[in-house]
Amino acid sequence: MSGISDILVLIKQVPDTSSKAGLNPDGTIDRAKAKRMLNPFDRYALQAALHVKKMYGGRVTALTMGPPPAVEILLEAIAHGADQGYLLSDRRLAASDTLATAYALHKCVLYLGKMDLIFTGLQTTDGDTAQVGPQIAERLDLPQVTYCEDFSIEEGKLHARRIVEGGHQDVICNLPALVTVANAYHQLEYKTLRGARLIQELNRDEALKNQYIHTITLDDVSADPELCGLKGSPTIVAHTDKVGQIGGQCVMHQGKSIEALVKEITGGTQIKEFVRQ
Ligand SMILES: Cc1cc2nc3c(=O)[nH]c(=O)nc-3n(C[C@H](O)[C@H](O)[C@H](O)COP(=O)(O)OP(=O)(O)OC[C@H]3O[C@@H](n4cnc5c(N)ncnc54)[C@H](O)[C@@H]3O)c2cc1C
């Protein structure tokens, strides 16, 4: 028996990078205008959670913190095979930095009860800090395996292979543990037919939907609002600039002497002679 009963996967809804997400005057992303999608990095985390369920048993819970439309990614997770979804949604969470986000999410994990394994993506495509997973592990006092590219569970221990600079590191740790899943892990498998049918039903039947998707607030998870949102965030996105037109004009320089090419490319700027030692 693997002893795995509960698996948690943290997923985030992000602006669809292919859509022209506008910026608000204060430089934050205009999330209302932007098309939304499941954070691409979280697809690997979801695959890892579903893999554990398939190989070792257990129930998969997907958890997201965000505005009400974030229910969409919980439905997507259920269509792929997750058993239930929790949305932590509360106006007091607005403008949370990673410290406040990790605080609020760790309170959710405590509220949900014992989890044998917690999976997160490596990072998000909007904040892109890769800080939330490790911070949650720290707050829950759990061992953490980051940049995990593959793993197995043997005799109640996690055997993981993680990517490190220039190679791999094999680590073994006790459960429960938190794992940030690298993009080198297996791609998310297609939605199951059963899952796709279930989503159609859930979208038709609100009562049934409420059996699979639960919306919770800061009060439900006994989180201190002073540690959430803008109040709880030592970091603020002070300003973001729209990058100009990416991609300059391509000019081919060929068929001339090095000196002529250097002169042409540098516009004749004097270049100090480089003498090979
Ligand atoms: C352009 C930009 C720059 C930012 N820079 C900073 C900064 O420098 N410092 C800072 O503290 N904050 C910053 N933020 C705010 C930060 O994005 C938010 O705090 C965000 O909620 C969490 O950080 P992240 O997106 O970097 O997540 P990451 O740490 O990159 O996410 C890692 C994983 O944690 C899980 N996760 C993250 N957010 C959620 C969620 N809401 N619900 C469920 N799971 C989640 C997912 O599994 C995800 O793959 C920035 C935001 C933007 C848009």
Side-chain angles (χ1 to χ4, degrees):
M1 262 310 284
S2 71
I4 300 283
S5 57
D6 276 290
I7 309 141
L8 182 64
V9 58
L10 299 182
I11 56 176
K12 185 183 179 187
Q13 188 173 51
V14 294
D16 181 338
T17 37
S18 65
S19 74
K20 289 249 169 297
L23 291 177
N24 295 316
D26 65 357
T28 55
I29 296 174
D30 181 352
R31 292 179 188 271
K33 272 222 201 80
K35 274 201 309 188
R36 301 176 289 262
M37 68 177 183
L38 169 63
N39 174 38
F41 293 90
D42 295 342
R43 300 176 69 82
Y44 299 92
L46 181 55
Q47 180 58 27
L50 295 170
H51 175 75
V52 171
K53 175 182 172 181
K54 200 159 86 186
M55 301 298 289
Y56 308 100
R59 178 176 62 161
V60 172
T61 300
L63 168 63
T64 190
M65 171 183 126
V71 161
E72 295 155 6
I73 61 169
L74 294 176
L75 288 169
E76 195 173 341
I78 289 171
H80 281 278
D83 299 283
Q84 60 176 353
Y86 278 79
L87 167 64
L88 173 65
S89 195
D90 194 309
R91 284 185 175 288
R92 294 169 291 179
L93 288 163
S96 292
D97 72 355
T98 61
L99 189 77
T101 300
Y103 167 75
L105 286 171
H106 108 281
K107 291 300 276 182
C108 284
V109 180
L110 295 174
Y111 168 81
L112 293 173
K114 181 180 105 25
M115 290 292 166
D116 302 300
L117 262 172
I118 302 174
F119 291 103
T120 79
L122 211 49
Q123 60 201 79
T124 66
T125 51
D126 59 352
D128 190 10
T129 63
Q131 292 171 9
V132 170
Q135 287 190 59
I136 292 174
E138 202 49 38
R139 284 184 180 273
L140 294 170
D141 195 21
L142 290 180
Q144 56 178 285
V145 178
T146 57
Y147 291 85
C148 178
E149 70 155 15
D150 213 345
F151 64 90
S152 63
I153 297 164
E154 294 150 32
E155 290 149 18
K157 287 187 185 300
L158 181 73
H159 293 242
R161 164 160 282 214
R162 52 187 302 269
I163 299 169
V164 292
E165 203 133 338
H168 296 100
Q169 185 186 39
D170 292 326
V171 294
I172 301 174
C173 74
N174 294 329
L175 294 177
L178 183 139
V179 178
T180 78
V181 183
N183 291 10
Y185 188 70
H186 312 282
Q187 295 268 353
L188 180 61
E189 288 164 18
Y190 289 108
K191 292 179 182 132
T192 58
L193 187 56
R194 179 184 162 280
R197 284 219 185 97
L198 175 60
I199 297 308
Q200 284 169 349
E201 262 180 75
L202 296 188
N203 284 327
R204 273 198 302 270
D205 180 339
E206 201 58 28
L208 183 63
K209 192 172 176 179
N210 295 338
Q211 288 173 31
Y212 284 81
I213 305 247
H214 315 278
T215 300
I216 48 181
T217 67
L218 289 182
D219 303 329
D220 295 324
V221 301
S222 321
D224 175 354
E226 295 300 311
L227 299 176
C228 299
L230 201 54
K231 282 191 187 150
S233 299
T235 317
I236 54 159
V237 178
H239 183 71
T240 43
D241 276 325
K242 225 177 182 174
V243 284
Q245 190 54 38
I246 297 178
Q249 192 209 355
C250 174
V251 181
M252 298 302 285
H253 297 271
Q254 49 196 348
K256 298 190 183 91
S257 70
I258 296 290
E259 289 70 20
L261 284 175
V262 169
K263 209 163 182 186
E264 199 172 284
I265 293 168
T266 61
T269 320
Q270 210 34 50
I271 303 267
K272 208 160 40 58
E273 187 154 338
F274 172 70
V275 181
R276 191 179 291 285
Q277 303 301 330

